[in-house]
């Protein structure tokens, strides 16, 4: 494989992964991004708020159950998900990737 073909393959992979990530973001945040009404509070104000009243708390001994526990748990104020991958290109170079998504609720009523 020539260097030009190798660069083209890498570019194609980058575009493919970028498109996949963009689609995941749109699917995950679509309900927020495409709302017709503005949010009640700014993102920074919401993230810095120190109001835990009304939200569920993490309790020891909780039994995780799939598929029920995939996705958001709207009773909690914050949670996050990780996607990690180890990738290799055609030249044998190794790459580590981590994508983290955070969810922070506006209020206990709105999850």
């Amino acid at each position: 494989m020539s260097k030009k073909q190798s660069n083209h393959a890498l570019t194609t992979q980058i575009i493919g992964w970028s498109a996949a990530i963009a689609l995941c973001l749109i699917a995950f945040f679509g309900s927020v991004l495409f709302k017709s009404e503005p949010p009640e509070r700014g993102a920074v104000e919401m993230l810095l708020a120190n109001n835990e009243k009304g939200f569920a708390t993490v309790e020891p001994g909780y039994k995780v159950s799939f598929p029920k526990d995939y996705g958001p748990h709207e009773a909690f104020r914050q949670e996050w998900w990780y996607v990690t991958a180890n990738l290799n290109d055609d030249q044998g170079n190794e790459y580590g990737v981590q994508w983290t998504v955070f969810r922070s609720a506006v209020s206990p009523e709105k999850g």
Side-chain angles (χ1 to χ4, degrees):
M1 180 184 289
S2 72
K3 183 162 177 93
K4 186 175 181 179
Q5 289 173 325
S6 177
N7 286 342
H8 179 72
L10 181 60
T11 301
T12 302
Q13 287 178 350
I14 290 170
I15 291 170
W17 277 104
S18 298
I21 290 170
L23 288 172
C24 288
L25 287 171
I26 289 170
F28 196 76
F29 292 110
S31 62
V32 174
L33 294 175
F34 300 116
K35 266 186 150 177
S36 59
E37 56 198 52
E40 293 178 22
R41 300 194 306 182
V44 173
E45 179 186 354
M46 180 181 70
L47 292 173
L48 296 176
N50 190 19
N51 182 6
E52 301 295 328
K53 287 184 181 178
F55 289 105
T57 58
V58 177
E59 301 292 334
Y62 177 81
K63 303 280 189 242
V64 177
S65 174
F66 294 109
K68 179 183 74 107
D69 283 317
Y70 283 123
H73 298 82
E74 295 189 2
F76 292 92
R77 181 166 182 238
Q78 295 179 331
E79 59 186 328
W80 50 92
W81 300 268
Y82 299 101
V83 175
T84 58
N86 294 311
L87 308 171
N88 297 317
D89 64 18
D90 292 339
Q91 289 76 39
N93 297 311
E94 297 179 347
Y95 303 93
V97 178
Q98 179 172 316
W99 178 47
T100 308
V101 177
F102 294 90
R103 185 192 70 81
S104 188
V106 175
S107 70
E109 296 80 29
K110 296 192 178 190

